[in-house]
CSV table of all heavy atoms in Angstrom, one decimal:
chain,number,residue,atom,x,y,z
A,1367,SER,N,-82.3,-51.3,-32.1
A,1367,SER,CA,-82.5,-50.2,-31.2
A,1367,SER,C,-82.6,-48.9,-31.9
A,1367,SER,O,-82.2,-48.8,-33.0
A,1367,SER,CB,-81.2,-50.0,-30.3
A,1367,SER,OG,-80.1,-49.8,-31.1
A,1368,LYS,N,-83.2,-47.9,-31.3
A,1368,LYS,CA,-83.6,-46.7,-32.0
A,1368,LYS,C,-82.3,-45.8,-32.1
A,1368,LYS,O,-81.6,-45.6,-31.1
A,1368,LYS,CB,-84.6,-45.9,-31.1
A,1368,LYS,CG,-85.0,-44.6,-31.8
A,1368,LYS,CD,-86.1,-43.9,-31.0
A,1368,LYS,CE,-86.4,-42.6,-31.6
A,1368,LYS,NZ,-87.5,-41.8,-30.8
A,1369,ARG,N,-82.1,-45.4,-33.2
A,1369,ARG,CA,-80.9,-44.5,-33.4
A,1369,ARG,C,-81.2,-43.0,-33.3
A,1369,ARG,O,-82.4,-42.4,-33.8
A,1369,ARG,CB,-80.2,-44.6,-34.9
A,1369,ARG,CG,-79.7,-46.0,-35.0
A,1369,ARG,CD,-79.2,-46.3,-36.4
A,1369,ARG,NE,-78.6,-47.6,-36.6
A,1369,ARG,CZ,-77.5,-47.9,-36.4
A,1369,ARG,NH1,-76.5,-47.1,-35.9
A,1369,ARG,NH2,-77.0,-49.2,-36.5
A,1370,THR,N,-80.4,-42.2,-32.7
A,1370,THR,CA,-80.5,-40.8,-32.5
A,1370,THR,C,-79.3,-40.1,-32.9
A,1370,THR,O,-78.3,-40.5,-32.7
A,1370,THR,CB,-80.9,-40.5,-31.1
A,1370,THR,OG1,-82.0,-41.3,-30.5
A,1370,THR,CG2,-81.2,-38.9,-30.9
A,1371,GLU,N,-79.5,-38.9,-33.5
A,1371,GLU,CA,-78.3,-38.1,-34.0
A,1371,GLU,C,-77.6,-37.6,-32.7
A,1371,GLU,O,-78.1,-37.3,-31.8
A,1371,GLU,CB,-78.7,-37.0,-34.8
A,1371,GLU,CG,-79.3,-37.4,-36.1
A,1371,GLU,CD,-79.6,-36.2,-37.1
A,1371,GLU,OE1,-79.3,-35.1,-36.6
A,1371,GLU,OE2,-80.0,-36.3,-38.1
A,1372,VAL,N,-76.2,-37.6,-32.9
A,1372,VAL,CA,-75.3,-37.1,-31.9
A,1372,VAL,C,-75.7,-35.7,-31.5
A,1372,VAL,O,-75.7,-35.3,-30.2
A,1372,VAL,CB,-73.9,-37.0,-32.3
A,1372,VAL,CG1,-72.9,-36.5,-31.2
A,1372,VAL,CG2,-73.4,-38.6,-32.5
A,1373,THR,N,-75.9,-34.7,-32.4
A,1373,THR,CA,-76.3,-33.4,-32.1
A,1373,THR,C,-77.6,-33.2,-31.3
A,1373,THR,O,-77.6,-32.3,-30.4
A,1373,THR,CB,-76.4,-32.6,-33.4
A,1373,THR,OG1,-77.4,-33.2,-34.4
A,1373,THR,CG2,-75.1,-32.4,-34.1
A,1375,VAL,N,-78.7,-35.6,-29.1
A,1375,VAL,CA,-78.4,-36.0,-27.7
A,1375,VAL,C,-77.6,-34.9,-27.0
A,1375,VAL,O,-78.0,-34.6,-25.8
A,1375,VAL,CB,-77.6,-37.3,-27.8
A,1375,VAL,CG1,-77.1,-37.7,-26.2
A,1375,VAL,CG2,-78.3,-38.4,-28.4
A,1376,ILE,N,-76.5,-34.3,-27.6
A,1376,ILE,CA,-75.7,-33.2,-26.9
A,1376,ILE,C,-76.6,-32.1,-26.8
A,1376,ILE,O,-76.5,-31.5,-25.6
A,1376,ILE,CB,-74.5,-33.0,-27.8
A,1376,ILE,CG1,-73.5,-34.2,-27.8
A,1376,ILE,CG2,-73.7,-31.8,-27.2
A,1376,ILE,CD1,-72.2,-34.1,-28.7
A,1559,SER,N,-73.0,-37.0,-17.6
A,1559,SER,CA,-73.6,-38.2,-17.4
A,1559,SER,C,-73.7,-38.9,-18.8
A,1559,SER,O,-73.7,-40.1,-19.1
A,1559,SER,CB,-75.0,-38.2,-16.9
A,1559,SER,OG,-75.8,-37.2,-17.7
A,1560,VAL,N,-73.8,-38.0,-19.9
A,1560,VAL,CA,-73.9,-38.5,-21.3
A,1560,VAL,C,-72.5,-39.1,-21.7
A,1560,VAL,O,-72.6,-40.2,-22.2
A,1560,VAL,CB,-74.2,-37.3,-22.2
A,1560,VAL,CG1,-74.2,-37.7,-23.6
A,1560,VAL,CG2,-75.6,-36.8,-21.9
A,1561,MET,N,-71.6,-38.5,-21.3
A,1561,MET,CA,-70.2,-38.9,-21.6
A,1561,MET,C,-70.0,-40.2,-21.0
A,1561,MET,O,-69.4,-41.2,-21.5
A,1561,MET,CB,-69.2,-38.0,-21.1
A,1561,MET,CG,-67.7,-38.4,-21.4
A,1561,MET,SD,-67.3,-38.6,-23.1
A,1561,MET,CE,-66.8,-36.9,-23.4
A,1562,LEU,N,-70.4,-40.5,-19.6
A,1562,LEU,CA,-70.2,-41.7,-18.9
A,1562,LEU,C,-71.0,-42.8,-19.7
A,1562,LEU,O,-70.4,-44.0,-19.9
A,1562,LEU,CB,-70.6,-41.6,-17.5
A,1562,LEU,CG,-70.6,-42.9,-16.6
A,1562,LEU,CD1,-69.1,-43.3,-16.5
A,1562,LEU,CD2,-71.3,-42.6,-15.3
A,1563,GLU,N,-72.2,-42.6,-20.0
A,1563,GLU,CA,-73.0,-43.6,-20.7
A,1563,GLU,C,-72.4,-43.8,-22.0
A,1563,GLU,O,-72.3,-45.1,-22.4
A,1563,GLU,CB,-74.5,-43.1,-20.8
A,1563,GLU,CG,-75.2,-43.0,-19.5
A,1563,GLU,CD,-76.6,-42.5,-19.7
A,1563,GLU,OE1,-77.0,-42.2,-20.8
A,1563,GLU,OE2,-77.2,-42.1,-18.7
A,1564,ALA,N,-71.9,-42.9,-22.8
A,1564,ALA,CA,-71.3,-43.2,-24.1
A,1564,ALA,C,-70.0,-44.0,-24.0
A,1564,ALA,O,-69.7,-45.0,-24.8
A,1564,ALA,CB,-70.9,-41.8,-24.8
A,1565,VAL,N,-69.2,-43.8,-22.9
A,1565,VAL,CA,-68.0,-44.5,-22.7
A,1565,VAL,C,-68.3,-46.0,-22.5
A,1565,VAL,O,-67.8,-46.9,-23.0
A,1565,VAL,CB,-67.1,-43.9,-21.7
A,1565,VAL,CG1,-65.8,-44.9,-21.4
A,1565,VAL,CG2,-66.5,-42.7,-22.2
A,1566,ARG,N,-69.4,-46.2,-21.5
A,1566,ARG,CA,-69.7,-47.5,-21.1
A,1566,ARG,C,-70.3,-48.3,-22.3
A,1566,ARG,O,-70.1,-49.5,-22.3
A,1566,ARG,CB,-70.8,-47.4,-19.8
A,1566,ARG,CG,-70.1,-46.8,-18.7
A,1566,ARG,CD,-71.1,-46.7,-17.5
A,1566,ARG,NE,-71.6,-48.0,-17.1
A,1566,ARG,CZ,-72.6,-48.1,-16.1
A,1566,ARG,NH1,-73.0,-47.1,-15.5
A,1566,ARG,NH2,-73.1,-49.2,-15.9
A,1567,ALA,N,-71.1,-47.6,-23.0
A,1567,ALA,CA,-71.7,-48.2,-24.3
A,1567,ALA,C,-70.7,-48.3,-25.5
A,1567,ALA,O,-71.1,-48.8,-26.5
A,1567,ALA,CB,-73.0,-47.5,-24.7
A,1568,GLN,N,-69.6,-47.8,-25.2
A,1568,GLN,CA,-68.5,-47.7,-26.4
A,1568,GLN,C,-69.1,-47.0,-27.7
A,1568,GLN,O,-68.9,-47.4,-28.7
A,1568,GLN,CB,-68.0,-49.1,-26.7
A,1568,GLN,CG,-67.3,-49.8,-25.6
A,1568,GLN,CD,-66.8,-51.2,-25.8
A,1568,GLN,OE1,-66.9,-51.7,-27.0
A,1568,GLN,NE2,-66.1,-51.9,-25.0
A,1569,ASP,N,-69.9,-45.9,-27.4
A,1569,ASP,CA,-70.4,-45.2,-28.5
A,1569,ASP,C,-69.3,-44.1,-28.9
A,1569,ASP,O,-69.2,-43.1,-28.4
A,1569,ASP,CB,-71.6,-44.4,-28.0
A,1569,ASP,CG,-72.4,-43.8,-29.1
A,1569,ASP,OD1,-71.8,-43.5,-30.3
A,1569,ASP,OD2,-73.7,-43.6,-29.0
A,1570,LEU,N,-68.5,-44.5,-30.0
A,1570,LEU,CA,-67.4,-43.6,-30.4
A,1570,LEU,C,-67.8,-42.4,-30.9
A,1570,LEU,O,-67.3,-41.3,-30.6
A,1570,LEU,CB,-66.6,-44.3,-31.4
A,1570,LEU,CG,-65.4,-43.6,-32.1
A,1570,LEU,CD1,-64.3,-43.3,-31.1
A,1570,LEU,CD2,-64.9,-44.4,-33.3
A,1571,PHE,N,-69.1,-42.3,-31.5
A,1571,PHE,CA,-69.5,-41.0,-32.2
A,1571,PHE,C,-69.9,-40.0,-31.2
A,1571,PHE,O,-69.7,-38.8,-31.2
A,1571,PHE,CB,-70.7,-41.4,-33.2
A,1571,PHE,CG,-70.3,-42.3,-34.3
A,1571,PHE,CD1,-70.7,-43.6,-34.2
A,1571,PHE,CD2,-69.5,-41.8,-35.3
A,1571,PHE,CE1,-70.4,-44.5,-35.2
A,1571,PHE,CE2,-69.2,-42.7,-36.4
A,1571,PHE,CZ,-69.6,-44.0,-36.3
A,1572,LEU,N,-70.6,-40.5,-30.2
A,1572,LEU,CA,-71.0,-39.6,-29.1
A,1572,LEU,C,-69.9,-39.2,-28.4
A,1572,LEU,O,-69.9,-38.0,-27.8
A,1572,LEU,CB,-72.0,-40.4,-28.1
A,1572,LEU,CG,-72.8,-39.6,-27.1
A,1572,LEU,CD1,-73.4,-38.2,-27.7
A,1572,LEU,CD2,-73.8,-40.2,-26.3
A,1573,VAL,N,-68.9,-40.0,-28.0
A,1573,VAL,CA,-67.7,-39.5,-27.4
A,1573,VAL,C,-66.8,-38.5,-28.1
A,1573,VAL,O,-66.5,-37.5,-27.5
A,1573,VAL,CB,-66.7,-40.7,-27.1
A,1573,VAL,CG1,-65.5,-40.2,-26.4
A,1573,VAL,CG2,-67.3,-41.7,-26.2
A,1574,MET,N,-66.9,-38.7,-29.3
A,1574,MET,CA,-66.0,-37.6,-30.3
A,1574,MET,C,-66.9,-36.4,-30.3
A,1574,MET,O,-66.3,-35.3,-30.4
A,1574,MET,CB,-65.9,-38.3,-31.6
A,1574,MET,CG,-64.9,-39.4,-31.6
A,1574,MET,SD,-63.2,-39.0,-31.0
A,1574,MET,CE,-62.8,-37.6,-32.2
A,1575,GLY,N,-68.2,-36.5,-30.2
A,1575,GLY,CA,-69.0,-35.3,-30.2
A,1575,GLY,C,-68.9,-34.5,-29.0
A,1575,GLY,O,-68.7,-33.3,-29.1
A,1576,ASN,N,-68.8,-35.2,-27.9
A,1576,ASN,CA,-68.5,-34.6,-26.7
A,1576,ASN,C,-67.0,-33.9,-26.6
A,1576,ASN,O,-66.9,-32.7,-26.1
A,1576,ASN,CB,-68.5,-35.5,-25.5
A,1576,ASN,CG,-70.0,-35.6,-25.0
A,1576,ASN,OD1,-70.5,-34.9,-24.2
A,1576,ASN,ND2,-70.5,-36.7,-25.5
A,1577,MET,N,-66.0,-34.4,-27.1
A,1577,MET,CA,-64.8,-33.9,-27.3
A,1577,MET,C,-64.6,-32.7,-28.3
A,1577,MET,O,-64.1,-31.7,-27.9
A,1577,MET,CB,-63.8,-35.0,-27.8
A,1577,MET,CG,-63.7,-36.2,-26.9
A,1577,MET,SD,-62.9,-35.9,-25.3
A,1577,MET,CE,-61.2,-35.4,-25.9
Side-chain angles (χ1 to χ4, degrees):
S1367 57
K1368 184 179 179 181
R1369 295 180 179 270
T1370 308
E1371 292 186 1
V1372 172
T1373 53
V1375 177
I1376 294 178
S1559 56
V1560 175
M1561 177 66 83
L1562 177 62
E1563 293 178 5
V1565 172
R1566 294 177 62 181
Q1568 298 183 359
D1569 190 337
L1570 178 62
F1571 300 103
L1572 188 53
V1573 172
M1574 292 302 297
N1576 276 278
M1577 297 296 292

